[in-house]
Amino acid sequence: ARYFDWWIGHGFTPDQGHVYLWGTDLGPPGNTVDALMPVLYSFLGDVGIQRPAPVAAVSGAANLEHYEYESTQARRRVLAIFSADGATTSLTTVTAELPGWNTLNVTVHRFTAGGDLAVNPTVTPLAAGRFAIDFGGLALNSREALLILLRE
């Protein structure tokens, strides 16, 4: 997520932004880069991504770090949320501003030492194109991350 953010922020094209990841198979089963990438690819497909405007508001502990991207081809967004400083953190709510969206389908992958675990937040429409995704203070340790997939 940090690489994507830096590349997009510096105007890199898909041909310019490359990374070689070493040890993509290292880690607990279901909690590796090799486990994450097919989830991301099957959701977005072979399309470009960009920073959306506006981005979602994330509330919870002060040490949450999050990144958000949207497909350039379809109404699909991805949020990556994790601890910014390696300490335990917690997530309360994500408020998504999705202009023109009438519905919101949310799938959450929680990558943990126990593998890829499903999380079932409560989704509440707030206004046209605005949705609250409630995680109820979900605790994340330093080795966990959430991948939140949003689609209309």
Side-chain angles (χ1 to χ4, degrees):
R2 289 178 182 147
Y3 289 116
F4 289 154
D5 199 67
W6 194 91
W7 292 333
I8 292 170
H10 288 82
F12 277 40
T13 68
D15 292 331
Q16 293 173 309
H18 296 276
V19 66
Y20 180 78
L21 299 172
W22 183 262
T24 59
D25 60 339
L26 299 178
N31 191 13
T32 63
V33 172
D34 286 350
L36 167 73
M37 293 310 279
V39 171
L40 195 55
Y41 184 80
S42 69
F43 181 70
L44 290 173
D46 190 12
V47 299
I49 60 171
Q50 61 193 11
R51 285 183 186 150
V55 297
V58 176
S59 64
N63 65 334
L64 281 174
E65 184 170 350
H66 71 283
Y67 297 93
E68 183 176 359
Y69 308 101
E70 67 181 352
S71 165
T72 57
Q73 302 296 315
R75 289 188 173 196
R76 293 176 182 250
R77 288 196 184 183
V78 174
L79 284 89
I81 300 178
F82 47 89
S83 171
D85 58 10
T88 298
T89 190
S90 65
L91 173 63
T92 306
T93 307
V94 172
T95 304
E97 302 282 345
L98 305 163
W101 290 34
N102 297 313
T103 60
L104 180 62
N105 295 294
V106 179
T107 303
V108 182
H109 295 267
R110 181 179 184 176
F111 292 96
T112 72
D116 178 2
L117 306 177
V119 174
N120 297 304
T122 302
V123 178
T124 305
L126 301 174
R130 189 167 186 249
F131 303 87
I133 308 164
D134 185 7
F135 289 87
L138 177 68
L140 298 172
N141 71 36
S142 63
R143 300 180 62 89
E144 295 181 333
L146 293 181
L147 184 66
I148 303 171
L149 310 175
L150 309 177
R151 70 181 183 285
E152 185 175 34

